[in-house]
Structure formats: structure tokens, C-alpha cells
Amino acid sequence: MPHTYEYPRAALTVDCVVFGFDGGELQALLIRRGLAPFKDKWALPGGFVRVEETLDDAARRELEEETGLREVFLEQLYTFGSVKRDPRERVVSVAYFALVKPGAVTAATDAAEAKWFSVSDLPSLAFDHVDILTTALTRLRGKLTYQPIGFELLPPKFTLTQLQRLYEAVLGEPLDKRNFRKKALSYDLLIALKEKHQDGPHRPAQLFRFDPVKYERLKKKGFLFEI
Amino acid sequence: MPHTYEYPRAALTVDCVVFGFDGGELQALLIRRGLAPFKDKWALPGGFVRVEETLDDAARRELEEETGLREVFLEQLYTFGSVKRDPRERVVSVAYFALVKPGAVTAATDAAEAKWFSVSDLPSLAFDHVDILTTALTRLRGKLTYQPIGFELLPPKFTLTQLQRLYEAVLGEPLDKRNFRKKALSYDLLIALKEKHQDGPHRPAQLFRFDPVKYERLKKKGFLFEI
DNA sequence: CCAAAAGTGTTGAAACTACACCCATGG
DNA sequence: CCATGGGTGTAGTTTCAACACTTTTGG
């Protein structure tokens, strides 16, 4: 392809902050780098954007190549463009954040090592990936309080207690059980299933699923899901 | 500079959506393109990112070169990466949005023609700049309701009625005067000045200024300015 | 004295917070 | 029968929305 503007160009990458939830703590998926620079360090999954693919496509492709993940919630986060963020040369990175349901990372991980880390106990990261991760965390916290995206981190069928634990893990503070349940149900976006969730020597819990159709309808009318 | 990765690269630009307020309508600053493609069409101020400057620096530089604006409120918006958004070749653009106070665009505009347009009456724009502008508008509306950034669009000294007109123009709906004033003053971020604003055959209005120091203190404690 | 915008309080409704006990199950 | 988490209601407080008249000025 001919370059119309013959100036030196920055390289363009995408990096993905992948969040998961194990029922107790919020987690981030990292991969161990096999190549220099930062060989053997942990880093966000990501890589170079090809000239003939969109940024979203690049993020999805890299995510699948490096972690096996497909069809996940993915959203552009911020573009990081410090001059020295890559020691080799100028690299601008468009960061994404992804939310995945438990058990999604079963697929082969392309020989690369991929591993979940609790966000409260992260290893040291390559490049400026801590900054990216911190930005993603802030965004997730903000978003969770006004958009119903928590469901992307839970199995398709979940109990209200699981939902509450997720909110508590992300927001970092305990929530009142009765108030939380009232609020969560008040939007009429949770459908009670016939099934129950049995999980030990105690009363089984009602299972729910999220109603994405009703949510889309509400969203169009300018709607806020606040909890 | 040596390229470590010898693949074809996208070119990288910044584009700025500059908002202003004339007291009645929300406005956007556009420049008329002097070069192909889209010669003579209106477009967002912007241009190519140099390898040795950050994205923020590039946005500020282009803004000054093309509109004479300096020291304005500037924030990264979103990165646009459709493959065909520039007819010549692959160009990825990091969009910014800027808020400027009335009278700021007095400086020489680098021979290029720069002009304010009411956002409700825009000309047809080059590239995908309508999409960028629409995204910026949505962001501005959202942000205005939970962060005190309206002051960036008003003169340093302003009346509560001016502030209300601004909110009404951006949100596109009339607001109740008494409720608005109560809310606006409740955060204790507006400092009443000794001066009044005289503007016709009627009672003069109290002038206020925004208190950025107090705001920074509040922001650290996780604070929401909602109106 | 008239026109025009500035300024000001109250009330009923709705939402929010805090809080404690009974229920269903498995072992 | 006991241990464990599931499930529910209310009262006091705060916030929100709706609404109309008086004040100050210039002409």
C-alpha cells in the first residue's frame, strides 16, 4: 500500500483488559510474554493492528489468538500514546476492556500462558499495562453503577446473592442485602426461572436470568440502571 | 527511525470537536478544508500525529495551528478506526473534545477558515466527522450531568441564568429555575462576586465564578455533581 | 409606571437508608 | 436439631418535582 504521507509513523496496537469474577474476587486475565521486550513478564493480551482490519476486529482477533475467548462483551476504553511507553519505538495502543463469564477461558491458549489474577494481587506488568488496567478498573466501577453490565461477568443463570457479591467485589464495599435486592428487581430486567440453585446445607436460592431484549427497549428511552 | 515491525502501518491523526456557547445555542467549531480529499468541505480541526509527540500534545498543537486556541479544556473522546474512513488509505483517528469560553477564537486562524456552527444546524462534513461530532455531543450531555464542566463554556464571571441557559441548550430541555438554582448552589462550588451583571432594563444579576480549588478537593473524595 | 429578567419557599411524593427475624435445606 | 445462607417489610430521613409572586432596574 502506498503511503500518502511519508513521515515516520507510530505503530498501532490493541490491548485488552479482560475481567472475570470467580464468585469472590474480581480478576484480570494476563498472559506471559514469550518475546522481548519484557520477556517472561505478565502483560495484557494484545498485539498489532493490521491495516485492513478495524480496531474492534483487531481486539477480538488478538483476544481469540491469545486466550481463546470469543463472543465476549468488548468495549473501547482509551488510547494510550505516551512517547516512550514501548522501549523499542513509538507504539500507540488502543485499549479495550472485556467482560467474560466464568469458565469461558477453557479453549487452547495458543501455547502462550494465560492466567487469572485477582486485581487486588497483581504481578508487575510489562509496558504501561498497569496504567491501562487501572483505567479499566475505574471505568468498570463507574459503568457498573449506571449500566447493567454485571451480568456479563456471571453465568447465564445466577442468584441475587451472586450478583450482590459481584457488585461488592467491584465496588469494594459491602451492600445491604434487602436494599440491593429491591433495587435489582425494581427495573424488571431479571427474569425469575423455575429452577433453584442448591449449594449446600441451606435453603436453595432462586435463579434469575437477565432480559437483554427488555433492556434494549429501555435503553432507547434513555434509561439508567443505578444500584 | 527504524521500524521494528515491517508491516504496512495505518496513519494516525487527531481530530478535535470544539464546543462553544453563544448564550443561546451550543456550537461547534469547524474549519474549511483547503486540500483534497474533501477540499472546501467543512471538517473538524485536526491532523497527523508526529512520532515524537503524545496524542494530547498533537491535539493541542493542531488546535492551536488551525484555530489559534490555547489552554482549553481538552479530553480524549474515542478512537475511530473504520478501514475506509479516509478514501486515500488507512487512517486511524484519536478524537478529542474541547470546551472553550466565549471570545477565545480571536487569534489568527492560520489563513484557514474557521467558523462556529450551531450543532442543530451543521453543514455536511468531511470523512466520518459527523459520527465523531455525534459521539462528542452524547459524551458532553452525559458528562454535564455529573461533572461541573459547564463553566468551561462560560466566561469566568457568569450569572445563574447563563448557566441554566447552557444546561438547557446542551440537554435540550427546559429546566425549572428555582430547582436549578438550589441545586447549582448546593455544592458550594460557586462563589458569589461583589459585582452585578447589568444587561437591560431590569434587575441586574448576581455574578458568580467557579471555585476550581474546592472542586479538586471534593473530586478526590469521590464526588458527583448532578443537576 | 411599565416591561423585563432576577430572585426566592413550600408542600406532597418518591426514593433512600438502616435495620432483624423467619425459612428451607442437608448433614 | 443445628448450621448455613435465602428471603422478606417498615419507619424515619432525604431528595425531588411542581409551582407563583415580589424585586430591581432602565427607559
Side-chain angles (χ1 to χ4, degrees):
Chain A
M1 168 168 296
H3 282 180
T4 309
Y5 312 96
E6 294 303 345
Y7 298 103
R9 294 183 171 196
L12 191 63
T13 60
V14 287
D15 285 304
C16 301
V17 181
V18 183
F19 287 115
F21 182 59
D22 67 356
E25 286 197 280
L26 184 67
Q27 305 194 291
L29 187 64
L30 301 175
I31 60 161
R32 194 190 282 278
R33 286 182 61 84
L35 298 172
F38 298 106
K39 187 167 181 323
D40 298 324
K41 270 225 165 186
W42 293 98
L44 300 173
F48 290 90
V49 177
R50 300 181 182 160
V51 263
E52 78 294 347
E53 72 185 348
T54 66
L55 301 171
D56 287 24
D57 288 345
R60 287 190 192 279
R61 177 180 53 74
E62 288 288 348
L63 212 49
E64 181 162 6
E65 286 177 13
E66 299 196 337
T67 69
L69 287 167
R70 297 184 49 141
E71 309 266 328
V72 300
F73 175 96
L74 187 72
E75 187 177 289
Q76 191 184 303
L77 173 65
Y78 193 78
T79 299
F80 292 79
S82 311
V83 176
K84 298 284 179 198
R85 45 180 303 284
D86 189 307
R88 295 164 294 187
E89 62 156 332
R90 182 74 193 283
V91 179
V92 170
S93 182
V94 182
Y96 278 77
F97 84 98
L99 304 180
V100 315
K101 297 179 192 292
V105 189
T106 52
T109 61
D110 196 20
E113 192 181 353
K115 194 168 161 234
W116 289 108
F117 288 86
S118 162
V119 294
S120 61
D121 189 26
L122 292 170
S124 122
L125 298 184
F127 305 105
D128 56 354
H129 287 187
V130 217
D131 299 338
I132 300 179
L133 211 151
T134 305
T135 306
L137 240 181
T138 306
R139 175 85 134 252
L140 175 61
R141 272 198 254 273
K143 241 184 142 65
L144 199 62
T145 61
Y146 67 91
Q147 276 180 31
I149 54 170
F151 315 106
E152 304 290 346
L153 290 165
L154 291 176
K157 302 172 183 182
F158 53 86
T159 69
L160 289 180
T161 300
Q162 288 175 311
L163 187 61
Q164 184 179 345
R165 294 281 168 274
L166 167 62
Y167 272 78
E168 291 173 334
V170 175
L171 303 178
E173 60 183 11
L175 299 171
D176 180 83
K177 181 161 65 157
R178 279 176 287 194
N179 295 338
F180 180 85
R181 295 164 95 92
K182 247 179 295 175
K183 201 72 194 278
L185 293 173
S186 70
Y187 298 100
D188 214 29
L189 288 171
L190 299 185
I191 301 172
L193 302 174
K194 300 230 168 61
E195 311 159 63
K196 305 258 159 148
H197 177 75
Q198 187 51 282
D199 173 41
H202 52 80
R203 180 171 175 177
Q206 179 65 250
L207 281 168
F208 293 86
R209 67 178 183 83
F210 178 62
D211 186 342
V213 181
K214 198 175 271 181
Y215 174 55
E216 285 308 315
R217 256 183 289 147
L218 278 173
K219 206 162 53 168
K220 292 220 169 64
K221 309 190 189 254
F223 153 81
L224 283 185
F225 180 90
E226 286 172 18
I227 220 148
Chain B
M1 168 168 298
H3 284 180
T4 309
Y5 312 96
E6 293 303 345
Y7 298 103
R9 294 184 171 196
L12 192 64
T13 60
V14 287
D15 284 304
C16 301
V17 182
V18 183
F19 287 115
F21 182 61
D22 67 355
E25 286 198 279
L26 185 66
Q27 305 194 292
L29 187 63
L30 301 175
I31 60 161
R32 195 190 280 278
R33 285 182 62 83
L35 298 172
F38 298 106
K39 186 167 183 320
D40 298 324
K41 270 224 164 187
W42 293 99
L44 299 173
F48 289 90
V49 177
R50 300 181 181 160
V51 264
E52 78 294 345
E53 72 185 346
T54 66
L55 301 171
D56 287 24
D57 287 346
R60 286 188 193 280
R61 177 180 53 75
E62 289 289 347
L63 212 49
E64 181 163 5
E65 286 178 12
E66 300 196 336
T67 69
L69 287 166
R70 297 184 50 142
E71 310 266 329
V72 300
F73 176 94
L74 188 72
E75 188 176 287
Q76 191 185 305
L77 173 65
Y78 193 80
T79 299
F80 292 79
S82 310
V83 176
K84 297 286 179 196
R85 45 182 302 284
D86 189 308
R88 294 164 296 187
E89 63 155 332
R90 182 75 194 283
V91 179
V92 169
S93 182
V94 183
Y96 278 77
F97 83 96
L99 305 179
V100 316
K101 296 177 193 292
V105 189
T106 52
T109 61
D110 196 19
E113 192 181 352
K115 194 169 161 231
W116 288 107
F117 289 86
S118 163
V119 294
S120 60
D121 188 25
L122 292 170
S124 122
L125 298 184
F127 304 105
D128 57 353
H129 287 187
V130 216
D131 300 338
I132 300 180
L133 211 151
T134 306
T135 306
L137 239 180
T138 306
R139 175 85 135 253
L140 175 62
R141 271 196 254 273
K143 239 182 144 68
L144 200 63
T145 61
Y146 66 92
Q147 276 180 34
I149 55 169
F151 315 106
E152 304 290 346
L153 289 165
L154 292 176
K157 302 171 182 181
F158 53 87
T159 69
L160 288 180
T161 300
Q162 288 176 310
L163 186 62
Q164 183 178 344
R165 294 281 169 272
L166 167 62
Y167 271 78
E168 291 174 334
V170 175
L171 303 178
E173 59 182 14
L175 299 172
D176 180 85
K177 181 160 65 157
R178 279 174 288 192
N179 293 339
F180 180 86
R181 295 164 95 92
K182 248 180 293 176
K183 202 72 191 281
L185 293 173
S186 70
Y187 299 100
D188 214 30
L189 287 171
L190 299 185
I191 302 171
L193 303 174
K194 299 230 169 62
E195 312 159 61
K196 304 259 160 144
H197 177 77
Q198 186 51 280
D199 174 40
H202 53 81
R203 180 170 175 176
Q206 178 65 249
L207 282 168
F208 293 86
R209 67 179 184 83
F210 179 62
D211 185 343
V213 180
K214 198 176 271 180
Y215 174 55
E216 286 307 316
R217 257 183 289 145
L218 277 174
K219 208 164 50 169
K220 292 219 169 65
K221 309 191 190 251
F223 153 81
L224 282 185
F225 180 89
E226 285 172 19
I227 221 149

